[in-house]
Structure formats: structure tokens, C-alpha cells
Amino acid sequence: MRLEELESARPIVIAAPERARAAAPPAAAARPLALGRRHLWLLAVIAAVAWSLWESGLFRRELVNEGGWSLVLRLASSILRPELSAEFLAVAWQATLATLAFAACGTALCLLIGSVGGILASEVWWESVFPPRGAGRSRLRTARGPWLAVRTLLTVPRAIHEIVWGVLLVAILGLDPLVAILAIAIPFGAITAKVFAELLDEAPRHSLGALRASGAPPLKAFLYSLVPEALPDLISYSFYRFECAIRSAAVLGIVGAGGLGYEILLSLRSLRYEQVWTLVFALIVLTGLSDLWSGLVRRKLGTGSRFDSTLKTRTIGDTPRYRVDPVIKGSILGVGLLTAFGFWYVGADVARLTGSRTAQLLGQLIAEAIPPTLGGMTLLEFLDVCGQTLAMSILAIGLAGIGGALLSFPAARNMLVPGGVVHPGGRRPAGRVAGVGAYLVSRAVLLFFRAVPAPIWALTFLFVFFPGMLPGALALAVYTLGVLGRLMAEATENLDTRPLTALRAQGAAGSHVFLYGVLPAVLPRYTAYVLYRWEVCIRATAMVGLVGAGGLGRLLTERVSSFDYAAVATVIIAYIAIAWLVDLVSAAVRRDLR
Amino acid sequence: MFELRGVTKRFSELAAVGGIGLAIRAGERVALVGPSGAGKTTLFNLLNGSIPPDEGEVRLFGCDPHRLPARELRRLQQQIGTVHQQFHLVGNLRVIHNVNAGHLGRWSLFRALHSLVRPLEVDRAVRWLRGLGLEDKVFERNDRLSGGEQQRVALVRVLVQDPSVILADEPISNLDPEHSRLVMDLLRELNERRGKTVVICLHDVNYAFSHCERIIGLRSGHIAFDDRVSEIPRSLVDDLYRLERCG
């Protein structure tokens, strides 16, 4: 081989025997088609966003309420003087405790449902109860029936957002702390059951097989084999659920269950903005602390980034080993104490659940809901509302995805700060300060965006926008941006930095390293997060709809307040159908991008 | 070209490189041999300016890289191409983009962006890839390639970068004998005909003798010997490995 030959355009024949045998020099691989499946999805995304924008009425009708700006200004300006009177601080303290108590009790119940449901929803359980007989295609048949049944049963509570559960439970139980606890426990329990089942199914099975072969009954064999194998992941996921429960507990205040969300709503409605900020700060501290705690426990357990267990991206085989670390021991004890405190603090009247009045109301409600009706709307009108809900979620996730991705890079510890891979400032002190500044500011913005619950964002946007899907979409977008930006920053921090330093070592500038090293590595991860949050977003439209933004959520509120349960049932069915559709699309996209 | 004086680099107390003095002139063809853990990779990272020494002085092209302003350092690093032992390619990118990453030091931001959408300078990349038997992998995703293929892609990236110094960290560790010879011949030719300075880290002692002019033996962070090939008896190199095994 000669260098001249390599560098000239002439085809060359390499001396190696297997190359020489080929008569003609092999043509270089053809360029891939301009329009692959990925491009089709990209076009679909652009079309969906365009349709959603049109649906939102942008450029078509007046959307902005000019009079609202003064209110927003007042709200923003009072951030510097939150109300700190002893009297109000006591209110805020009680509300914070209530929110914490709801979350603790909700998580405890959720874990109870999740553990039982998780075992029942796992394939491996049914296979050990009904050991496969015979061979070939009929092998799994017996185990598959009950497994599918439990799986399907679990999708229903999952498709309905906590706040919808809250609204329904208020109708049955009245304004009681139980409402908040159950509204968290039911949907969270179903999600937890699904995740637990997947964790159990993924755990190595040799030990279970050995125990079953020695004649141990299924449940005992489970307790001594799969459960300990999956335990670190189970604990880690439980803490993540607790973190989520705190946010939900705050939001649930809006249906009247009490706690921080309720107080924020009251203060906002009575235009006491100084109070709003005091409560928002309390919420930020509470969620921030629970984030830190859960993050610490998860790090100690060695179970990486927070969504890994739900996204199933961890490779099997590197199951983290469970060491009983003092932090974990303490945390488990702490959670136990917190739960006990929670039940004592809210003083939930559990007897009410089994009371005859509850059963009577529940029966009445179900009787009224069958058969579901459209409640005086035409089918077309109803479908239009469904379309609005879908458009709201697309708009929200689109904005959140773009904004979150943009903010995630300055917010990642290994990017712009000195020593980071794309740190642009060199050794000049100004560059260092700019990098650190961008890091701190973006982190703070993300924290603020996700600490304020989406319905509160919606109420704020409703100051300046006329009710409709746009303020709802914006509110969801801001909140989701906070969540996504944080997740994406974590993904970026977990990057393999060696290819990046290799690019750096050959003299590439920061921006180039970003383009050729960082971006291609994180994009698949980011897409997966966006799709996952889209599924969450569609359920969350109920939350902003409840405070007056458009879509199915608003329809639901109207129907509930007019006690038209037959129409409520239709809305819920529509929600389940849309959530199911979104899951399907998201799964298809993920498959094609893999 | 390269000058190291009393250079020490520690990783958490453990000295990977201890008090090394070394000079490599332009146009030399040097083999770096020594058992695993002798500090070869650390030495390479010092030579391409990725890590600063804890003690002593590193001079590349007569300058201290860690005193240069960022822009100047980048210009200097563009003249040093490194083929890394673990390749350090971007898995999600196609081969063509990984190869074109060699242009990044020269390309404007706009050009770099443009190439990601529609690959530029494909012909040049294809010619080099063809030379190393990879012509059918141009648009393949990098993480679908075998270890040996990735190793050659990493080499092509450096060839496209066209630096005046090539540091190759075990460039043939994943290759079959046929491709190993191809790569070693190519490196020798780049040195002889293009005057590029070549430093190759090798485990295969035979290639050190057949393809290089000078051999530097490293053992636990120190230079054991450093001389022209003709002056080094074969047994000296063999001892380097044997001693380590006993100790």
C-alpha cells in the first residue's frame, strides 16, 4: 500500500490476499436513504406540533388579557417580601406538616398495594405457581392467563391522574384527609406494582429455581430468592415514589384536601401574594429536601439515575449489591417513623372506609355512571375536547423538551463549569465565572420550575391568558421543563467522558466537542425521557384543566360539580383511551429509534 | 519536539510516572514498550497535553502547553494526533462522522454542523477507510462495529486530522495479523515519506524491532532503557516483561 495511492482518487488494490482476490475494488457503502424511519418520525413530530399550535388558537383569536399583566407584576414583585408574621408562619408550618403526612401515608399504602400487586403482576410468580408443563408453544399458557388479567387490571388506575382520583373520592368520602391519602395510594400503587413486577421478572432466577426444586412453596421461595435479589432496586424505587408523593400531596390540596397546595390556592384566590410566596418557599424546601434524601439513598444503594428503573435501560448483570449502610438503615427507620407520625397527624378516620354510608354512596355513584353518556354534547364536540387535550400535551412536551434540553447543558456539572468538557472560557477568570454562573442560574431555574406545582403555574398563566388550552399547555410546559431539565442534566453528567477528552486532546474547540461528542451521545437518552414524560403529561392535563385551563380536565370538573356521573364516566374512559394511545405511539417511536 | 524533564504524575498517591526525562525529536519513529501498568498511557496523555504533570516540566514544540491560552493550546494539539487504546469514539455516530471529527480543529462551527446533517469530505474519508479495509462501513453506526474495526476507525480519524505527530497507543491490540501488518506498515510509511513523528506503544516486541528506529522501555513509571534499535539486544526487552512477572 502506498500513501499516494490512498490519497489519490484512483481505485486501489491492496496487497492483502483476500483483497487481491476481489477483481474489482469494492464500492464504498451507499449513502443511507435521505428519508429513513427517523426522518418520518421527525416529520410527524413537526406536524403534531403545528397542529397543536393551530388548536391552541394562536394567531386566530385574542388570547392575551392585557389587564392581567398588573396582577402578574404584583405577584412577581412580592417575591422579595413573603409574609413572615408569626401567625402566618404557623399556618405554613401546619400546611407543610399536613403535606408531608399525606405523602408519607400515601406512600405507605402505595407500597402495600405495590408489593402485593407486584408479586401478582410478575410473570415469574405465575410461572412458579403453575409450573409450565409440556413443551413447545403450549408451555406458558396456564401461567399467562392470570398474569395478563392482573396486568390489564392495573392499567386502569394508572391511566387516571391522582387529581381525578381526588375529585372522585371527595364525592364519596367528603373533605377528609383520607381523600388525599387514597388519591396518592391508588394510582401510585398500580404504578409501583408494575415496576416491582418488572424488577422481579428481571432479577436472576437460578436461586428461585433451586428452592422450588427442593419443594419450597411459591411465596416462601419468593421471599428467599427473588425478593432479596431485587431488594435494592425495590427500596430505591420506593424512595423515588415518596419524592413523587410529596409533589402530588401538594397538588391534591387543590381538590380541598388541605396542605400546602390548598393554602396556596386560597392565598392566590384572595390576592394575598406575599402569603403565596411564603408557601411556595416552604414547598421548595420540602421538595428540595426530599429530593436530596431520596438521591442520597439511591446513590448509596448504587442504583444510578432516578428513572433507570422505570425506563429499564440498565443492563442486566450489573445488579448493585445491597450493603446495609447506616444511611439506608437510618432512612428506612426514618420512613417508618414518618409514616407513624403521618397517620397520627392526619387522624384519618379509617372506619369511614368500611362505613355503610360510604358503601351506599359508592354504589349510588356507580349506578348513576352506568351507562356512560356524553352529557348533552354531540360526539363531535366531545372529540374536539379530546383533541384539545392531546394538543395541550403535545405543546407542553414540545416546549418542555426544547427548553429542558437547552438548560440541561449549563446545568450539568461536567459541561460549562471549569474543568468541564465544553468549558469555553479557557483560563481567563471571566470565563470561569460565566461558566459557574450559568450552572447556578440554570440549576436554580430548573428547581423553581419544578417546585411550583403545575396547577399553580396554570393559575398564574390564567392572569394573562383567557381560559383555554394555551395557559394549560404553558403551565404544564414550565413544570415539565423543570423535571426534564434535571433528568437530562443527570444523563449528561453520566456520560462517558473519555471520547470527549479524546476530541479535546486533538485540539477541537468546546462547541465542536459538544456537536460531535456530547450531542450524539445524549440525544437518544433525551428522546426516551421526553417520550416518557409525554405519557405523564397527558395524564397531568387533568391537573391544569381543574383550575380552569381547557381540555378534558375542565370538562371533568364541570361534570363533577353538576353531579353528572354518567358524563364523568365518559371523560374517564376518554382519558384512559388517550393515555393508552399515547403509550402505544411512544413505544413505537422508542422501538424505531433504538 | 517533545521534552520531558523530571516529570512525575500521581493518581491518588500512586505515581503512574515518576521522574521521567525524555526528548523526542521531529521525524523520529519510536516504540514504547513495557508491561501493563508501566505508565505508557499516562505518558501519552502527558505528551498530548491532556493532563498536566504534578512535578517537572513538559514541553511540546518548545512550549509549556499548560501555560498557553486556550486557543493556542488547541492549535498546538491539532498537531498531535492520538490513537487511544480504548479508541474513545462516539458510539452513536456513524463512522463517517467519527472520522470527520478529525477535521474539527480546522472546521468552523457552521461547517461542523453542516457535516452532521450532510457529511462533508466523504471522498477523503472513504479513501483512507478503503486502505484499511473498511470501505463498506462508512455509514455504519460506530457501536455496530467490531473492536478491530473501531480501532482502525480511530486510526483513520487521526490520519484525517493530519497532525505532524502521531501517538498510537497499542494500535494493533485488536487486529488480526494481516491488518496489524497493514497498520504498522502505514505508520512506518507516514514517518518515512511524510516526515511525521511517530510514537507507538506496543506489546508486540517484534514490531518494535522491525518497524521502529528507537525503543524506550518503561517499567513501573521509570525509563528502563532508551536507545536505537541496533543498540538494544533482544534479551533486554524480554527481561522487561519477565521481571515484572516475577515481581
Side-chain angles (χ1 to χ4, degrees), chain A residues 284-356:
Chain A
I284 291 180
V285 170
L286 186 62
T287 47
L289 284 179
S290 73
D291 274 19
L292 277 180
W293 186 17
S294 140
L296 181 71
V297 171
R298 294 158 71 79
R299 248 196 323 282
K300 288 275 178 194
L301 284 166
T303 38
S305 173
R306 53 191 41 217
F307 269 91
D308 281 4
S309 43
T310 49
L311 279 177
K312 284 175 66 176
T313 43
R314 240 196 26 241
T315 46
I316 298 163
D318 62 77
T319 324
R321 294 290 107 210
Y322 178 56
R323 287 163 281 108
V324 184
D325 187 282
V327 174
I328 294 166
K329 256 190 192 163
S331 297
I332 293 173
L333 188 71
V335 167
L337 289 176
L338 202 62
T339 311
F341 158 80
F343 278 109
W344 168 79
Y345 186 83
V346 298
D349 184 8
V350 187
R352 217 160 160 169
L353 271 183
T354 49
S356 58

Side-chain angles (χ1 to χ4, degrees), chain A residues 196-481:
Chain A
F196 276 16
E198 275 162 11
L199 289 174
L200 287 175
D201 278 338
E202 278 170 24
R205 295 187 190 183
H206 324 288
S207 48
L208 176 71
L211 287 179
R212 289 289 289 146
S214 66
L219 188 61
K220 284 179 195 157
F222 245 66
L223 283 180
Y224 274 84
S225 56
L226 286 190
V227 173
E229 292 267 19
L231 197 61
D233 285 322
L234 296 181
I235 296 179
S236 164
Y237 187 75
S238 305
F239 271 91
Y240 169 67
R241 268 296 130 199
F242 174 65
E243 202 184 310
C244 299
I246 293 218
R247 290 172 210 283
S248 280
V251 170
L252 276 165
I254 288 164
V255 300
L260 280 172
Y262 182 60
E263 296 293 339
I264 293 178
L265 188 70
L266 282 185
S267 299
L268 204 59
R269 289 251 156 100
S270 56
L271 311 182
R272 305 285 297 270
Y273 298 133
E274 293 79 7
Q275 295 183 352
V276 171
W277 286 113
T278 313
L279 295 161
V280 166
F281 289 143
L283 189 56
I284 291 180
V285 170
L286 186 62
T287 47
L289 284 179
S290 73
D291 274 19
L292 277 180
W293 186 17
S294 140
L296 181 71
V297 171
R298 294 158 71 79
R299 248 196 323 282
K300 288 275 178 194
L301 284 166
T303 38
S305 173
R306 53 191 41 217
F307 269 91
D308 281 4
S309 43
T310 49
L311 279 177
K312 284 175 66 176
T313 43
R314 240 196 26 241
T315 46
I316 298 163
D318 62 77
T319 324
R321 294 290 107 210
Y322 178 56
R323 287 163 281 108
V324 184
D325 187 282
V327 174
I328 294 166
K329 256 190 192 163
S331 297
I332 293 173
L333 188 71
V335 167
L337 289 176
L338 202 62
T339 311
F341 158 80
F343 278 109
W344 168 79
Y345 186 83
V346 298
D349 184 8
V350 187
R352 217 160 160 169
L353 271 183
T354 49
S356 58
R357 175 146 174 78
T358 306
Q360 189 197 338
L361 278 172
L362 183 65
Q364 207 179 323
L365 200 144
I366 291 173
E368 277 177 35
I370 297 172
T373 64
L374 288 171
M377 286 173 112
T378 65
L379 186 63
L380 217 61
E381 282 170 341
F382 185 74
L383 286 180
D384 184 47
V385 179
C386 293
Q388 272 185 28
T389 306
L390 195 61
M392 195 197 286
S393 76
I394 292 173
L395 212 55
I397 197 66
L399 287 172
I402 294 169
L406 288 180
L407 276 181
S408 71
F409 296 114
R413 247 189 312 255
N414 55 352
M415 291 287 124
L416 288 177
V417 290
V421 280
V422 290
H423 174 49
R427 292 179 190 77
R428 291 192 303 274
R432 287 169 168 264
V433 171
V436 175
Y439 170 75
L440 291 177
V441 169
S442 51
R443 283 258 147 169
V445 166
L446 291 177
L447 175 68
F448 182 67
F449 277 13
R450 67 174 185 274
V452 178
I456 305 298
W457 282 117
L459 285 169
T460 320
F461 281 113
L462 280 169
F463 284 157
V464 277
F465 291 100
F466 290 114
M469 62 158 277
L470 192 63
L474 288 176
L476 276 181
V478 169
Y479 174 75
T480 310
L481 196 161

Side-chain angles (χ1 to χ4, degrees), chain A residues 3 31 44 47 57 61 67 88 120 148 187 189 259 263 297 307 420 425 448 452 481 494 498 519 535:
Chain A
L3 283 172
R31 267 173 196 260
R61 54 172 175 264
F88 189 73
L120 290 180
L148 261 178
E263 296 293 339
V297 171
F307 269 91
F448 182 67
V452 178
L481 196 161
N494 291 336
R498 291 173 309 175
L519 212 53
E535 295 170 23

Side-chain angles (χ1 to χ4, degrees), chain A residues 108-187:
Chain A
L109 274 183
C110 141
L111 291 180
L112 198 68
I113 298 173
S115 316
V116 177
I119 290 181
L120 290 180
S122 70
E123 221 168 347
V124 59
W125 165 259
W126 292 105
E127 271 174 36
S128 57
V129 176
F130 300 114
R133 274 174 239 273
R137 286 189 157 264
S138 60
R139 251 178 89 84
L140 283 176
R141 284 278 162 77
T142 32
R144 214 153 173 89
W147 173 73
L148 261 178
V150 177
R151 272 286 164 119
T152 319
L153 199 71
L154 282 176
T155 54
V156 176
R158 239 177 337 123
I160 303 172
H161 193 265
E162 300 99 85
I163 207 137
V164 178
W165 280 109
V167 169
L168 293 176
L169 287 165
V170 165
I172 302 171
L173 297 168
L175 284 179
D176 190 278
L178 261 184
V179 169
I181 297 170
L182 288 179
I184 292 172
I186 296 171

Side-chain angles (χ1 to χ4, degrees), chain A residues 6 8 26 427 506 512 520, chain B residues 68 92 101 107 127 135 189 194:
Chain A
L6 281 179
S8 74
R427 292 179 190 77
Q506 63 165 51
H512 293 55
Chain B
L68 289 176
N92 293 331
W107 278 1
R127 273 200 298 280
E135 64 274 22
E189 217 168 332
R194 291 292 148 84

